[in-house]
Amino acid sequence: MPGDSTGNFNLLHRTCKLVVLLCFLHISVTVVFYVRSLDIRFAFVQNQQSHNTSTQPNRDRSTALPPRTEPKQADPKKEVAGLQESAAPQAEKKLEKCPETSPLLVGPLRVEFNIPVSLEQIKKDNPSVRPGGRFRPADCEALQKVAIIIPFRKRDEHLKFWLHYLHPVLQRQQLDYGVYVINQEGDATFNRAKLLNVGYAEALKDYDYGCFVFSDVDLIPMDDRNTYRCFSQPRHLSVSMDKFGFRLPYNQYFGGVSSMSQEHFLKINGFPNNYWGWGGEDDDIYNRLASKGMSISRPSGDVGKCRMIRHDRDKKNEPNPQRFDRIAHTRETMHKDGINSLTYRVVSAEKFDLFTKISVDVGKP
Ligand code: BGC
């Protein structure tokens, strides 16, 4: 009937209007809530950003090395301060101190030299190493600032193996460290100990290191528990070398890899500058330490195992015939020959991705 259908139509019409109204209301409420949630999210992001800029140390500032200045003279205040702990640059972001023994250590390592390594690959494998071969742990404050000094001339292949093996080890040891390759320019007879003195002086221009590790370029530790840091006494780290059948060649042996705090180093007036050619300079260093009443600290034979990369004797590094005479007189000469009489000329100083290379003219015999 026409009356009924009009009534039905009106009812349908009203119902539809109600549904449309409800939909509109629903959409409005949804839009209001969505806009409000956007506001909150935006405010949160802004808050996060301002928090980050105020609490995180400025990466550039903290990673950049301080400007190089003239070599520092022995600082008597530091002499009594002993091992320096990492402090100032990390003050902004207060981290807890790293533990005495790093939890990242894995123990014995496989060390082989039959497959060549490339600097590009080493760089890729160690993304946290900063220009100049610098590193410090991200999540704790390193206990020591360690400069690793490598006397060098024409041993690029050995250096690659050293970087390949040592960067991962040193990072696992949770050290705040830098690698300094001290390259003797020219063809004069090699002078290992003088290059080590130069490394000490040059590294201090970069950072306030408190510990110095002196390492030959061809020596690789076979256990990462052999920590490249300083101890209360000067440390000999390469105690069981494959070259010597994994044992000490003699009790006073102090060659290969050793470490010393700044206090130890200054007490003995650094190293001798007049040992030209192979041999004797490490014995002289041992004599200096003994004459100042210091003893040698060493890791166990197991932990102190290391491999030497086999090589022919370098040209211009023949055994030094004067070494026996010089060693016999360390106690008389050490006060006038050492870090206090060091002279050299820096030819170039470059920061590579994995190490800092300082080329120097150290003169000739
Ligand atoms: C030399 C040292 C050398 C040691 C082991 C000694 O005769 O004087 O300089 O490190 O032999 O080769």
Side-chain angles (χ1 to χ4, degrees), residues 160-173:
K160 280 192 240 168
F161 279 119
W162 191 96
L163 298 165
H164 167 70
Y165 282 112
L166 265 297
H167 269 305
V169 167
L170 298 167
Q171 289 170 80
R172 287 203 297 278
Q173 293 181 346

Side-chain angles (χ1 to χ4, degrees), residues 104-161:
L104 308 175
L105 303 180
V106 296
L109 309 168
R110 220 163 99 172
V111 175
E112 286 165 359
F113 306 117
N114 42 5
I115 303 164
V117 287
S118 76
L119 288 174
E120 292 71 34
Q121 190 56 46
I122 306 169
K123 169 87 188 112
K124 275 193 207 140
D125 295 341
N126 297 277
S128 305
V129 173
R130 293 182 277 117
R134 300 284 300 272
F135 171 85
R136 66 181 181 194
D139 47 9
C140 63
E141 189 188 323
L143 297 181
Q144 290 185 15
K145 295 174 176 177
V146 185
I148 295 159
I149 317 285
I150 303 176
F152 184 88
R153 187 161 66 183
K154 295 182 189 150
R155 296 273 202 97
D156 295 273
E157 286 312 304
H158 294 186
L159 180 60
K160 280 192 240 168
F161 279 119

Side-chain angles (χ1 to χ4, degrees), residues 2 10 29 53 56 62 96 100 105 133 158 162 173 181 209 263 276 289-290 319 327 329 345 353 355 360:
N10 279 345
V29 169
T53 39
Q56 271 185 11
S62 63
E96 280 198 18
E100 260 305 302
L105 303 180
H158 294 186
W162 191 96
Q173 293 181 346
V181 173
Y209 293 106
E263 185 190 4
W276 299 91
L289 295 169
I327 299 164
H329 295 98
R345 184 175 62 89
D353 285 334
F355 61 97
V360 280

Side-chain angles (χ1 to χ4, degrees), residues 297-309:
S297 131
R298 290 194 169 102
S300 70
D302 249 12
V303 168
K305 275 183 157 182
C306 53
R307 272 201 200 294
M308 195 180 115
I309 307 170

